[in-house]
Amino acid sequence: MLRRNVRLRKEYLYRKNLEGDERQLYEKKRKIREALQEGKPIPTELRNEEAKLRQEIDLEDQNTAVPRSHIDDEYANATQKEPKILLTTSRDPSAPLTRFVKELNIVFPNAVKLNRGGQVISEIIETARSHDFTDVIFVSENRGKPDGLIISHLPFGPTAYFQLLNVVTRHEIQTKKEMGKMSEQYPHLIFERFTTQMGKRVMNILKHIFPVPKLDAKRIVTFSNESDYISFRNHMYDKGEGGPKSIELKEVGPRFELRLYQVKLGTLEQDEAEVEWVLRPYMNTAKKRQFLGE
């Protein structure tokens, strides 16, 4: 198993290193296509390669015309099987963290909660790989308050690091009698204001930890971005007798905010993995820029 993982990782890194060359070749073909469509002369710098490039263009189809990226490889099998999540915590979790993780275990369909004990991160990741988990989610705390959430996609990554803020559990929103039992339906997903390239990247990471819902599912999970703070809400809806305008929306919890501070191109235990993006809050322009959406 270890040798297989090493081989797969090397193959993935090799394909990733080819991306730059493939992107340059794609740009050359695009210029030739545009020149032919608009009836303009071929750009001077491409005339020596024109015959070879036109031959390659003639052989392309919809699947090969656009170069694939390492992001495509990361989620290449996402539509073939449902996500399977391993959910765990930092060592010796407090009662509030344990309660919060129990609720997350229901929020994320197909999640399995693991009592960490004395296991180190590399052992947990290896266990998850060997049992065909698609993602590992770590929840950490500080002085009894949940303060961090890490999503690591298997087998190659990426790994997204979030600060966890304003956690409100179910019993803090309403009483157990008023709220009722939390539904385990596969939810419909709503994403608000994830418009930048990094915003779409984060949306892709969050989207793939939920399976595809049924059309008649009455559960809705919302990720709403406001100034790079992502609000998570979990609702159930019910249609009244008055038609579509009489829909009743009920929050079932939990609720919390996420703030992305790092994305790595690898899994959590790989210290050598390349950092794709990191938040730099002390730069002069940090307060003016919004990284996930306008």
Side-chain angles (χ1 to χ4, degrees), residues 141-154:
E141 65 180 341
N142 182 29
R143 296 183 180 180
K145 289 185 178 180
D147 74 333
L149 187 141
I150 303 172
I151 301 174
S152 187
H153 183 67
L154 301 178

